[in-house]
Coordinates of all heavy atoms in Angstrom, one line a residue:
M247 N 190.7 38.3 25.1 CA 189.7 38.7 26.2 C 189.3 37.5 26.8 O 188.7 36.6 26.2 CB 188.7 39.5 25.6 CG 187.6 40.0 26.6 SD 186.5 41.3 26.0 CE 185.7 40.5 24.7
T248 N 189.2 37.5 28.1 CA 188.7 36.3 28.8 C 187.1 36.5 29.0 O 186.7 37.6 28.7 CB 189.3 36.0 30.2 OG1 188.9 37.2 31.0 CG2 190.7 36.0 30.2
S249 N 186.5 35.4 29.3 CA 184.9 35.6 29.4 C 184.6 36.6 30.5 O 183.5 37.1 30.5 CB 184.4 34.2 29.7 OG 184.8 33.7 30.9
S250 N 185.5 36.8 31.4 CA 185.2 37.7 32.6 C 185.4 39.1 32.4 O 185.0 40.0 33.1 CB 185.9 37.3 33.9 OG 187.4 37.4 33.8
E251 N 186.1 39.4 31.2 CA 186.4 40.8 30.8 C 185.3 41.3 29.9 O 184.9 40.7 29.0 CB 187.8 40.8 30.0 CG 188.9 40.6 30.9 CD 190.2 40.7 30.2 OE1 190.1 40.9 28.9 OE2 191.2 40.6 30.7
S252 N 184.9 42.4 30.1 CA 184.0 43.1 29.2 C 184.9 43.9 28.2 O 186.0 44.2 28.3 CB 183.2 44.2 30.1 OG 184.0 45.2 30.5
E253 N 184.0 44.4 27.0 CA 184.8 45.1 26.1 C 185.3 46.3 26.6 O 186.5 46.6 26.3 CB 183.8 45.3 24.9 CG 183.5 44.1 24.1 CD 182.8 44.3 22.8 OE1 182.8 45.4 22.4 OE2 181.9 43.4 22.4
P254 N 184.6 47.1 27.4 CA 185.3 48.3 27.9 C 186.6 48.1 28.8 O 187.5 48.8 28.7 CB 184.2 48.9 28.7 CG 183.0 48.5 28.1 CD 183.2 47.1 27.7
E255 N 186.4 46.9 29.6 CA 187.6 46.6 30.3 C 188.8 46.2 29.6 O 189.9 46.6 29.8 CB 187.2 45.5 31.4 CG 188.4 45.2 32.3 CD 188.1 44.1 33.3 OE1 187.3 43.3 33.2 OE2 188.7 44.1 34.4
A256 N 188.6 45.4 28.5 CA 189.6 45.0 27.7 C 190.3 46.1 27.0 O 191.5 46.2 26.8 CB 189.1 44.0 26.6
A257 N 189.5 47.2 26.6 CA 190.1 48.4 26.0 C 190.9 49.1 27.0 O 192.0 49.7 26.7 CB 188.9 49.4 25.5
L258 N 190.4 49.3 28.3 CA 191.2 50.0 29.4 C 192.5 49.2 29.5 O 193.7 49.9 29.7 CB 190.6 50.0 30.7 CG 189.4 51.1 30.6 CD1 188.6 50.9 32.0 CD2 189.8 52.4 30.5
L259 N 192.5 47.8 29.7 CA 193.7 47.1 29.8 C 194.6 47.4 28.6 O 196.0 47.4 28.9 CB 193.4 45.6 29.9 CG 192.5 45.2 31.3 CD1 192.1 43.8 31.2 CD2 193.2 45.7 32.5
A260 N 194.2 47.5 27.5 CA 195.0 47.7 26.3 C 195.7 49.0 26.4 O 196.8 49.2 25.8 CB 194.2 47.5 25.0
E261 N 195.0 50.0 27.1 CA 195.5 51.3 27.2 C 196.6 51.4 28.4 O 196.9 52.5 28.7 CB 194.5 52.3 27.3 CG 193.6 52.5 26.2 CD 192.4 53.3 26.3 OE1 192.2 53.9 27.5 OE2 191.6 53.5 25.4
G262 N 196.7 50.3 29.0 CA 197.7 50.4 30.2 C 197.2 50.5 31.5 O 197.8 50.6 32.6
W263 N 195.8 50.5 31.7 CA 195.1 50.6 33.0 C 195.2 49.2 33.6 O 195.2 48.2 32.9 CB 193.7 51.0 32.8 CG 193.5 52.3 32.3 CD1 193.4 52.8 31.0 CD2 193.5 53.6 33.2 NE1 193.4 54.2 31.0 CE2 193.4 54.8 32.4 CE3 193.6 53.8 34.5 CZ2 193.4 56.0 32.8 CZ3 193.6 55.1 35.0 CH2 193.5 56.1 34.2
Q264 N 195.1 49.3 35.0 CA 195.2 48.0 35.7 C 193.9 48.1 36.7 O 193.7 49.0 37.5 CB 196.3 47.9 36.7 CG 196.4 46.8 37.6 CD 197.6 46.9 38.5 OE1 198.6 47.6 38.3 NE2 197.7 46.0 39.5
R265 N 193.1 47.0 36.7 CA 191.9 47.0 37.6 C 192.5 46.6 39.0 O 193.2 45.7 39.2 CB 190.9 45.9 37.2 CG 189.7 45.8 38.0 CD 188.8 44.7 37.5 NE 187.8 44.4 38.5 CZ 186.6 44.4 38.1 NH1 186.2 44.6 37.0 NH2 185.5 44.3 39.1
C266 N 192.0 47.5 39.9 CA 192.4 47.3 41.3 C 191.3 46.5 42.1 O 191.5 45.4 42.5 CB 192.8 48.5 41.9 SG 194.3 49.2 41.3
F267 N 190.3 47.2 42.5 CA 189.2 46.6 43.3 C 188.0 47.4 43.2 O 188.0 48.5 42.6 CB 189.7 46.4 44.7 CG 190.2 47.7 45.5 CD1 189.1 48.4 46.2 CD2 191.4 48.2 45.4 CE1 189.6 49.6 46.8 CE2 191.7 49.2 46.1 CZ 190.9 50.0 46.7
V268 N 186.9 46.9 43.8 CA 185.7 47.6 43.9 C 185.6 48.2 45.3 O 185.7 47.5 46.3 CB 184.4 46.5 43.6 CG1 183.1 47.2 43.6 CG2 184.7 46.0 42.2
A269 N 185.0 49.4 45.4 CA 184.9 50.0 46.7 C 183.6 51.0 46.6 O 183.1 51.4 45.5 CB 186.0 50.9 47.0
D270 N 183.2 51.3 47.9 CA 182.3 52.4 47.9 C 182.8 53.4 49.1 O 183.9 53.2 49.7 CB 180.9 52.0 48.2 CG 180.7 51.3 49.7 OD1 181.6 51.1 50.4 OD2 179.5 51.0 50.0
E271 N 182.1 54.4 49.3 CA 182.6 55.5 50.3 C 182.6 54.8 51.7 O 181.6 54.1 52.1 CB 181.7 56.8 50.2 CG 181.9 57.4 49.0 CD 183.3 57.9 48.6 OE1 184.2 58.0 49.4 OE2 183.6 58.2 47.5
P272 N 183.5 55.3 52.5 CA 184.5 56.3 52.4 C 185.8 55.8 51.8 O 186.6 56.4 51.4 CB 184.8 56.8 53.7 CG 184.5 55.5 54.7 CD 183.3 54.8 54.0
R273 N 185.8 54.4 51.7 CA 187.1 53.9 51.2 C 187.3 54.2 49.7 O 188.6 54.2 49.3 CB 187.1 52.3 51.2 CG 187.0 51.9 52.7 CD 188.0 52.2 53.6 NE 187.8 51.9 55.0 CZ 187.5 52.8 56.0 NH1 187.4 54.0 55.6 NH2 187.4 52.4 57.2
L274 N 186.4 54.4 48.9 CA 186.6 54.9 47.5 C 187.4 56.0 47.5 O 188.4 56.1 46.7 CB 185.3 55.0 46.9 CG 185.3 55.4 45.4 CD1 186.0 54.5 44.6 CD2 183.9 55.7 44.8
S275 N 187.0 57.2 48.0 CA 187.9 58.4 48.2 C 189.2 58.2 48.8 O 190.1 58.8 48.2 CB 187.0 59.5 48.9 OG 185.8 59.8 48.3
E276 N 189.2 57.6 49.7 CA 190.6 57.3 50.3 C 191.6 56.6 49.3 O 192.8 57.0 49.2 CB 190.4 56.5 51.6 CG 189.7 57.1 52.7 CD 189.5 56.3 53.9 OE1 189.7 54.9 53.8 OE2 189.0 56.7 55.0
A277 N 191.0 55.6 48.7 CA 191.9 54.8 47.7 C 192.3 55.8 46.6 O 193.4 55.7 46.1 CB 191.1 53.7 47.2
V278 N 191.2 56.6 46.1 CA 191.6 57.5 44.8 C 192.7 58.4 45.3 O 193.7 58.7 44.6 CB 190.4 58.2 44.5 CG1 190.6 59.3 43.5 CG2 189.4 57.1 43.8
E279 N 192.6 59.0 46.4 CA 193.6 60.1 47.0 C 195.0 59.3 47.2 O 195.9 59.9 46.8 CB 193.1 60.6 48.3 CG 194.1 61.6 48.8 CD 193.6 62.2 50.2 OE1 192.5 62.0 50.5 OE2 194.4 63.0 50.9
T280 N 195.1 58.1 47.7 CA 196.2 57.4 47.9 C 196.9 57.2 46.5 O 198.1 57.4 46.4 CB 196.0 56.2 48.7 OG1 195.5 56.5 50.0 CG2 197.3 55.4 48.9
Y281 N 196.2 56.6 45.7 CA 196.8 56.3 44.3 C 197.3 57.6 43.6 O 198.3 57.5 43.1 CB 195.6 55.5 43.5 CG 195.6 54.0 43.8 CD1 194.4 53.6 44.0 CD2 196.7 53.2 43.8 CE1 194.3 52.1 44.3 CE2 196.5 51.9 44.1 CZ 195.4 51.4 44.3 OH 195.2 50.0 44.6
R282 N 196.5 58.6 43.8 CA 197.0 59.9 43.1 C 198.2 60.4 43.8 O 199.2 60.9 43.1 CB 195.9 61.0 43.1 CG 195.0 60.7 42.0 CD 193.8 61.7 41.9 NE 192.7 61.4 40.9 CZ 191.5 61.6 40.9 NH1 191.0 62.4 42.0 NH2 190.7 61.2 40.0
D283 N 198.4 60.4 45.1 CA 199.5 60.7 45.8 C 200.8 59.9 45.4 O 201.9 60.3 45.4 CB 199.3 60.6 47.2 CG 198.3 61.8 47.9 OD1 198.1 62.7 47.2 OD2 197.9 61.5 48.9
L284 N 200.5 58.6 45.1 CA 201.6 57.7 44.6 C 202.0 57.8 43.1 O 202.9 57.2 42.6 CB 201.2 56.3 44.9 CG 201.1 55.9 46.4 CD1 200.4 54.4 46.5 CD2 202.5 56.0 47.0
G285 N 201.3 58.8 42.5 CA 201.7 59.1 41.1 C 200.9 58.4 40.0 O 201.3 58.3 38.9
Y286 N 199.7 57.8 40.4 CA 198.9 57.1 39.4 C 197.7 58.1 38.9 O 197.2 58.9 39.6 CB 198.3 55.9 40.0 CG 199.3 54.8 40.4 CD1 199.9 54.7 41.5 CD2 199.5 53.9 39.3 CE1 200.7 53.6 41.8 CE2 200.4 52.8 39.6 CZ 201.1 52.8 40.8 OH 202.1 51.7 41.0
E287 N 197.4 57.7 37.6 CA 196.1 58.3 37.1 C 195.0 57.4 37.7 O 195.3 56.1 37.8 CB 196.0 58.2 35.5 CG 196.9 59.1 35.0 CD 196.9 58.9 33.4 OE1 195.9 59.5 32.9 OE2 197.7 58.3 32.9
V288 N 193.9 57.8 37.9 CA 192.9 57.0 38.5 C 191.5 57.1 37.7 O 191.1 58.2 37.3 CB 192.5 57.4 39.9 CG1 191.3 56.5 40.5 CG2 193.7 57.2 40.8
K289 N 191.0 56.0 37.3 CA 189.7 56.0 36.5 C 188.7 55.1 37.3 O 189.0 54.0 37.7 CB 189.9 55.5 35.0 CG 188.7 55.4 34.3 CD 189.0 54.9 32.9 CE 189.9 55.9 32.2 NZ 189.2 56.8 31.1
L290 N 187.4 55.6 37.5 CA 186.3 54.9 38.2 C 185.3 54.6 37.0 O 184.8 55.5 36.4 CB 185.7 55.8 39.2 CG 186.7 56.4 40.3 CD1 186.1 57.2 41.2 CD2 187.4 55.2 41.1
L291 N 184.9 53.3 37.3 CA 183.8 52.8 36.4 C 182.7 52.3 37.2 O 182.9 51.8 38.3 CB 184.4 51.8 35.5 CG 185.3 52.3 34.3 CD1 185.6 51.1 33.5 CD2 184.8 53.3 33.4
P292 N 181.4 52.4 36.7 CA 180.3 51.7 37.4 C 180.6 50.3 37.7 O 181.2 49.6 36.8 CB 179.1 52.1 36.7 CG 179.6 53.1 35.6 CD 181.1 53.0 35.5
F293 N 180.1 49.7 38.7 CA 180.1 48.3 39.0 C 178.9 47.6 38.5 O 177.9 48.2 38.7 CB 180.2 48.2 40.7 CG 180.2 46.7 41.0 CD1 181.3 45.8 40.8 CD2 178.9 46.2 41.6 CE1 181.3 44.5 41.3 CE2 179.0 44.8 41.9 CZ 180.1 44.1 41.8
T294 N 179.2 46.5 38.0 CA 178.0 45.7 37.3 C 177.8 44.5 38.3 O 178.7 43.7 38.4 CB 178.3 45.3 35.9 OG1 178.7 46.5 35.1 CG2 177.0 44.6 35.4
P295 N 176.7 44.3 38.9 CA 176.6 43.3 40.1 C 176.7 41.9 39.4 O 177.2 41.1 40.0 CB 175.1 43.6 40.5 CG 174.8 44.9 40.3 CD 175.6 45.3 39.1
D296 N 176.3 41.7 38.1 CA 176.5 40.5 37.6 C 177.9 40.0 37.1 O 178.1 38.9 36.7 CB 175.5 40.3 36.3 CG 175.9 41.2 35.3 OD1 176.5 42.2 35.4 OD2 175.5 40.9 34.0
E297 N 178.9 40.9 37.4 CA 180.2 40.5 37.1 C 180.9 39.5 38.2 O 182.1 39.2 38.0 CB 181.0 41.7 36.9 CG 181.4 42.7 38.0 CD 182.2 43.9 37.5 OE1 181.6 44.6 36.7 OE2 183.2 44.1 38.2
S298 N 180.3 39.4 39.4 CA 180.9 38.5 40.3 C 179.8 38.0 41.1 O 178.6 38.4 41.1 CB 181.8 39.4 41.2 OG 181.2 40.3 41.9
A299 N 180.0 36.9 41.9 CA 179.0 36.4 42.9 C 179.2 37.0 44.2 O 179.7 36.5 45.0 CB 179.5 34.9 43.0
C300 N 178.5 38.3 44.2 CA 178.6 39.1 45.5 C 177.4 38.9 46.3 O 176.4 38.3 45.8 CB 178.6 40.5 45.1 SG 180.3 41.0 44.4
S301 N 177.4 39.4 47.5 CA 176.4 39.1 48.4 C 175.1 40.0 48.1 O 175.2 40.9 47.2 CB 176.8 39.5 49.9 OG 177.1 40.8 50.0
E302 N 174.0 39.8 48.6 CA 172.7 40.5 48.3 C 172.9 41.9 48.5 O 172.4 42.7 47.8 CB 171.7 40.0 49.3 CG 170.2 40.4 48.9 CD 169.8 40.2 47.5 OE1 170.1 39.1 47.1 OE2 169.0 40.9 46.9
C303 N 173.7 42.3 49.5 CA 173.7 43.9 49.7 C 174.4 44.6 48.5 O 173.9 45.8 48.3 CB 174.7 44.2 50.9 SG 176.3 43.6 51.0
V304 N 175.3 43.9 47.7 CA 175.7 44.5 46.7 C 174.7 44.7 45.5 O 174.6 45.6 44.8 CB 177.0 43.7 46.0 CG1 177.5 44.2 44.8 CG2 178.1 43.7 47.1
T305 N 173.9 43.7 45.3 CA 173.0 43.7 44.3 C 171.9 44.7 44.6 O 171.1 45.3 43.7 CB 172.3 42.4 44.0 OG1 171.7 41.8 45.2 CG2 173.3 41.4 43.5
Q306 N 171.7 45.1 45.9 CA 170.5 46.0 46.3 C 171.0 47.5 46.0 O 170.1 48.2 45.7 CB 170.3 45.8 47.8 CG 169.6 44.6 48.1 CD 169.3 44.4 49.6 OE1 169.6 45.3 50.4 NE2 168.8 43.2 49.9
E307 N 172.3 47.8 46.0 CA 172.7 49.2 45.9 C 174.0 49.3 45.1 O 175.1 49.7 45.4 CB 172.9 49.8 47.2 CG 171.8 50.0 48.1 CD 172.0 50.7 49.3 OE1 172.2 52.1 49.2 OE2 172.2 50.1 50.4
P308 N 174.0 48.7 43.8 CA 175.1 48.8 43.0 C 175.7 50.1 42.6 O 176.8 50.3 42.2 CB 174.7 47.8 41.8 CG 173.3 48.1 41.6 CD 172.8 48.2 43.0
D309 N 174.8 51.2 42.7 CA 175.2 52.5 42.1 C 176.2 53.0 43.2 O 176.8 54.0 42.8 CB 174.0 53.4 42.0 CG 173.1 52.9 40.9 OD1 173.5 52.3 40.0 OD2 171.9 53.3 40.9
R310 N 176.3 52.6 44.4 CA 177.3 53.0 45.4 C 178.7 52.7 45.0 O 179.7 53.2 45.5 CB 176.8 52.7 46.7 CG 175.6 53.2 47.2 CD 175.3 52.7 48.6 NE 176.3 52.8 49.4 CZ 176.5 52.1 50.7 NH1 175.4 51.6 51.2 NH2 177.6 52.2 51.3
L311 N 178.8 51.5 44.3 CA 180.1 50.9 44.2 C 180.8 51.4 42.8 O 180.0 51.7 41.7 CB 180.1 49.4 44.1 CG 179.4 48.8 45.4 CD1 179.1 47.3 45.2 CD2 180.5 48.8 46.4
R312 N 182.1 51.5 42.8 CA 182.9 51.9 41.7 C 184.0 50.9 41.5 O 184.6 50.4 42.5 CB 183.4 53.3 41.7 CG 182.4 54.3 41.7 CD 181.6 54.5 40.3 NE 180.6 55.3 40.3 CZ 179.4 55.1 40.4 NH1 179.0 53.8 40.5 NH2 178.4 55.9 40.2
V313 N 184.4 50.7 40.3 CA 185.7 49.8 40.1 C 186.7 50.7 39.8 O 186.7 51.7 39.0 CB 185.5 48.9 38.8 CG1 186.6 48.0 38.5 CG2 184.3 48.0 38.9
I314 N 187.8 50.5 40.6 CA 189.0 51.4 40.5 C 190.0 50.9 39.5 O 190.4 49.7 39.6 CB 189.6 51.5 41.9 CG1 188.7 52.2 42.8 CG2 190.9 52.5 41.8 CD1 189.2 52.4 44.3
Y315 N 190.3 51.7 38.6 CA 191.5 51.4 37.7 C 192.6 52.4 37.8 O 192.3 53.6 38.0 CB 191.0 51.5 36.2 CG 190.1 50.3 35.8 CD1 188.7 50.3 36.1 CD2 190.6 49.1 35.2 CE1 187.9 49.3 35.7 CE2 189.8 48.1 34.8 CZ 188.5 48.2 35.0 OH 187.6 47.1 34.7
I316 N 193.7 51.9 37.7 CA 195.0 52.8 37.8 C 195.9 52.7 36.7 O 196.0 51.6 36.1 CB 195.7 52.7 39.2 CG1 196.2 51.3 39.3 CG2 194.9 53.1 40.4 CD1 197.3 51.2 40.5
R317 N 196.8 53.7 36.4 CA 197.9 53.5 35.6 C 198.9 54.6 36.1 O 198.5 55.7 36.5 CB 197.7 53.5 34.0 CG 197.3 54.8 33.5 CD 197.1 54.7 32.0 NE 196.5 56.0 31.5 CZ 196.2 56.1 30.2 NH1 196.1 55.1 29.4 NH2 195.6 57.3 29.8
K318 N 200.1 54.3 35.8 CA 201.3 55.2 36.2 C 201.1 56.4 35.3 O 201.0 56.4 34.2 CB 202.5 54.6 35.9 CG 203.7 55.1 36.8 CD 203.4 55.1 38.3 CE 204.6 55.6 38.9 NZ 204.5 55.7 40.3
R319 N 201.1 57.6 35.9 CA 201.0 58.8 35.3 C 202.2 59.1 34.4 O 203.5 58.8 34.8 CB 201.0 59.9 36.3 CG 200.4 61.3 35.7 CD 200.2 62.4 36.9 NE 199.2 61.9 37.9 CZ 199.4 62.1 39.2 NH1 200.3 62.6 39.7 NH2 198.5 61.6 39.9
G320 N 202.0 59.6 33.2 CA 203.2 59.7 32.2 C 203.9 61.0 32.5 O 203.5 61.8 33.5
P321 N 205.0 61.3 32.0 CA 206.0 62.5 32.3 C 205.0 63.8 31.9 O 204.2 63.8 31.0 CB 207.1 62.4 31.4 CG 206.9 61.3 30.5 CD 205.6 60.5 31.0
G322 N 205.2 64.7 32.8 CA 204.7 66.1 32.6 C 203.4 66.2 33.4 O 202.7 66.9 33.6

C-alpha cells in the first residue's frame, strides 16, 4: 500500500475495483449511468479533502463529492 492509499481503498483495489475520479452532481450521476451501461459495477465512496491538494471550494463542501470506483461486472 502506498502512502496515498487508505486501508479501505487498498481493500477495494484487492477486490478488483479501480479508482476512476472524484465528481459531484450532475457529472456524478452521468458517470455512474455511463459506467453501468458499459457493464461495470459502480461503487461510490465519500471524498476526503485531505487526500489531495484541492482548491478551497472542495474543502468547503466535501460532502457533495464522491470517489467513483468501478469493476467489470461478473457473469450473470
Side-chain angles (χ1 to χ4, degrees):
M247 178 168 64
T248 66
S249 61
S250 64
E251 290 178 355
S252 66
E253 288 183 32
E255 181 176 31
L258 286 174
L259 296 175
E261 294 173 0
W263 291 93
Q264 175 186 350
R265 182 183 171 129
C266 291
F267 59 93
V268 177
D270 69 348
E271 295 299 347
R273 301 298 172 253
L274 178 63
S275 294
E276 292 170 355
V278 168
E279 181 178 350
T280 299
Y281 281 124
R282 287 184 176 149
D283 287 347
L284 292 170
Y286 288 93
E287 292 179 80
V288 178
K289 186 178 290 262
L290 302 176
L291 294 182
F293 175 74
T294 305
D296 61 336
E297 69 185 56
S298 65
C300 291
S301 64
E302 185 65 27
C303 63
V304 172
T305 60
Q306 290 175 4
E307 296 185 75
D309 294 338
R310 293 180 45 190
L311 300 169
R312 293 291 177 262
V313 182
I314 300 174
Y315 287 86
I316 62 168
R317 72 176 174 189
K318 199 65 171 167
R319 200 175 295 139

